Amino acid sequence: MCVSHKSALLKVLYDEEKTPTDDLTFSEVLEQMRTVLDEEYEQIPQLSSSHALDVSTPFTVVGGEGTKRALLIGINYIGQNGELSGCHNDALRIKKYLMDVYGYEEENFTYLMDNGVYDDPTYDNILAAFDDIVAKSEAGDSVFVHYSGHGGFLADDSCDEEDGKDETLIPVNYTEAGQIRDDTVFNRLVLPMADDVTLTCLMDCCHSGTILDLPYKFKAGMGESVMSLQPGFRFDNFFRKIGLSDEE
């Protein structure tokens, strides 16, 4: 499952470090996020999923009784063109939310930030962190991945995108190492994750709505009440990625 727009999410679910008095459904959370964003931005919050999630059920990022793990990535691109200022703080606010609301424990957090305190969010370090959290997770666990930084797109190099573009994450060393394509995120984080692990990704960056290459979506403010298939989604390509034939 992938949700976009961190600041609006926290405004709805953890404003002033307080949780709502009533449980909100997935659709209610996204609709309220849209109201928050309408004050300053034109972005539309989007939820994507590997299956048609029932958006009328209560919002949660925990799906089992196992270990809860989190990978928090915040990139300010200090001293580079396009420098940002709030991404480290974003990651730490998400950490507090996960600990206070869902009981995540400090020992199960991994951090990548370009602040001189944690390992840098380089191309290789991000992919290594994906590999590590996949290797540690097993059925019943819940995994939360937060990315706050720049996003972009490149020309599709695998002919699996309807719009001809791969969405990307932009690591701190992108000028030397390049951008991380959505296909790579899928192959290193989504595809190898063990069955029955609840994986939630919060991608706070441009072009983040389809960064996980998942088939189903829900957009706030569009008059939708259920998740729908991504327009032009190619299940033949999706099946090929996960090692199945069209017949299977």
Side-chain angles (χ1 to χ4, degrees), residues 2-234:
C2 180
V3 183
S4 57
H5 304 297
K6 172 276 317 164
S7 58
L9 180 72
L10 289 182
K11 181 70 174 177
V12 172
L13 292 174
Y14 199 53
D15 192 25
E16 298 183 352
E17 299 186 358
K18 297 178 182 178
T19 57
T21 55
D22 298 321
D23 287 337
L24 298 175
T25 66
F26 283 92
S27 60
E28 288 170 339
V29 169
L30 264 72
E31 295 294 348
Q32 291 190 30
M33 287 172 63
R34 176 69 184 273
T35 299
V36 171
L37 288 168
D38 276 347
E39 298 172 3
E40 298 183 59
Y41 305 101
E42 296 182 357
Q43 293 106 319
I44 299 175
Q46 179 169 316
L47 171 71
S48 61
S49 178
S50 60
H51 62 286
L53 179 72
D54 182 356
V55 294
S56 67
T57 56
F59 181 91
T60 185
V61 300
V62 173
E65 299 298 324
T67 303
K68 296 182 280 285
R69 297 184 176 84
L71 168 62
L72 307 180
I73 304 169
I75 315 177
N76 279 342
Y77 309 92
I78 297 169
Q80 302 187 62
N81 290 333
E83 182 173 340
L84 301 174
S85 61
C87 297
H88 303 156
N89 187 55
D90 290 347
L92 296 177
R93 289 179 64 203
I94 287 292
K95 172 191 173 181
K96 185 167 179 57
Y97 167 70
L98 293 175
M99 293 183 77
D100 287 355
V101 177
Y102 293 105
Y104 278 64
E105 298 179 353
E106 175 65 46
E107 65 190 28
N108 293 319
F109 281 88
T110 300
Y111 309 92
L112 295 176
M113 300 187 209
D114 53 341
N115 60 358
V117 177
Y118 303 107
D119 288 341
D120 284 335
T122 63
Y123 188 106
D124 287 343
N125 283 349
I126 291 173
L127 295 187
F130 288 170
D131 293 342
D132 182 65
I133 206 165
V134 166
K136 290 177 177 176
S137 299
E138 55 188 31
D141 289 353
S142 297
V143 173
F144 191 97
V145 176
H146 168 66
Y147 174 90
S148 182
H150 283 307
F153 58 84
L154 297 169
D156 176 20
D157 65 352
S158 57
C159 301
D160 65 346
E161 300 284 354
E162 181 74 11
D163 62 0
K165 299 175 182 177
D166 280 334
E167 290 72 30
T168 63
L169 303 179
I170 300 182
V172 68
N173 64 333
Y174 69 95
T175 56
E176 299 87 20
Q179 303 176 40
I180 301 175
R181 294 177 182 267
D182 51 9
D183 294 329
T184 303
V185 177
F186 183 90
N187 289 329
R188 299 289 283 270
L189 179 63
V190 180
L191 179 60
M193 190 65 74
D195 291 344
D196 298 320
V197 171
T198 298
L199 170 63
T200 302
C201 297
L202 178 58
M203 300 299 191
D204 192 14
C205 59
C206 295
H207 313 291
S208 61
T210 59
I211 191 66
L212 296 189
D213 273 353
L214 300 177
Y216 293 96
K217 69 172 181 64
F218 177 86
K219 282 188 175 183
M222 306 300 287
E224 300 175 353
S225 59
V226 296
M227 299 198 82
S228 59
L229 191 64
Q230 297 269 16
F233 189 85
R234 294 280 303 277

